[in-house]
Amino acid sequence: MVTKKTEEGIRSYLESLGQSDKPVVDREAVKSIKAQLRTERDLIERAKLLSQLEREEAGRVPDRSGDEAVFIAEARAWADETGVTVGALQALGVSVDVLRRAGFDPQPVTAGGPRRARSGGGRARAAAIPLDDVAAAARKLGSGWKIADLAAVLQREPMTVRNYVAKLLEQGVVADLGDDPRHNGRG
């Protein structure tokens, strides 16, 4: 029987997928140390505070290894009991490597779901572009660019780029200026 603790561990792992692995800075801790530095006169204590400030300003990379370990240990039994398919887990972003370590037999995926066996050709799926790289490309284009412009720079299909732009809009990195008043064709 699936326990609430197991399900919470799996949920925590799934929620962590796609989150940035960039170091997180505790701004309150930085402010507190800076306040202490302003009043501290002892040189040894100042050295300790400066070292602590340096570490805090560098930030900490979130440790998600515990969530991944819970997923690897529990996901197979949980999925079997709840009827969750390996394809659903792949669609949520669980890597093939993690699924294998959890005891699943995943298939490579395409945009439409698990890849079916086929003979001959077909194009391999392009690697995802980090969202920071997409934002940098958009900044280089300046103001007033179109999806097609960004797609050309990123060498991706417009629909793929539209998904990236939607994420950038959600984060407030780019703004929607509306339709191009000079455009009167399709799309």
Side-chain angles (χ1 to χ4, degrees):
M1 172 149 189
V2 174
T3 66
K4 188 166 182 87
K5 183 178 178 183
T6 296
E7 200 156 85
E8 285 303 313
I10 291 169
R11 178 178 286 110
S12 180
Y13 173 73
L14 293 173
E15 287 173 348
S16 76
L17 296 173
Q19 291 181 359
S20 174
D21 285 334
K22 289 183 178 179
V24 176
V25 176
D26 183 345
R27 300 283 179 216
E28 291 302 315
V30 168
K31 283 190 342 188
S32 173
I33 295 167
K34 286 181 177 180
Q36 291 175 46
L37 273 168
R38 283 191 288 275
T39 60
E40 185 59 60
R41 298 293 168 232
D42 182 85
L43 294 178
I44 298 296
E45 290 304 314
R46 284 185 65 78
K48 290 177 183 178
L49 285 169
L50 286 167
S51 298
Q52 189 178 358
L53 179 62
E54 191 177 309
R55 285 189 293 274
E56 286 296 338
E57 287 180 330
R60 291 181 180 79
V61 174
D63 180 13
R64 297 187 183 100
S65 60
D67 292 336
E68 185 177 284
V70 168
F71 182 87
I72 289 169
E74 305 289 343
R76 180 61 194 249
W78 168 80
D80 288 346
E81 189 170 321
T82 60
V84 173
T85 65
V86 69
L89 294 171
Q90 285 179 286
L92 291 174
V94 180
S95 72
V96 170
D97 175 58
V98 170
L99 288 168
R100 283 193 178 120
R101 289 189 285 148
F104 293 96
D105 183 23
Q107 300 299 312
V109 293
T110 62
R115 182 175 293 159
R116 305 284 178 234
R118 60 183 158 166
S119 59
R123 209 169 64 184
R125 183 175 181 186
I129 302 171
L131 202 51
D132 290 340
D133 293 350
V134 176
R139 279 191 292 277
K140 282 184 181 176
L141 286 172
S143 179
W145 51 265
K146 299 177 203 71
I147 296 285
D149 300 331
L150 187 57
V153 169
L154 297 173
Q155 297 179 348
R156 293 294 192 273
E157 295 295 323
M159 273 312 294
T160 301
V161 172
R162 194 175 308 277
N163 292 332
Y164 285 118
V165 170
K167 290 176 185 174
L168 293 175
L169 283 166
E170 284 176 16
Q171 295 177 2
V173 175
V174 297
D176 185 349
L177 300 178
D179 294 332
D180 182 352
R182 297 165 291 169
H183 179 76
N184 59 6
R186 286 184 48 191

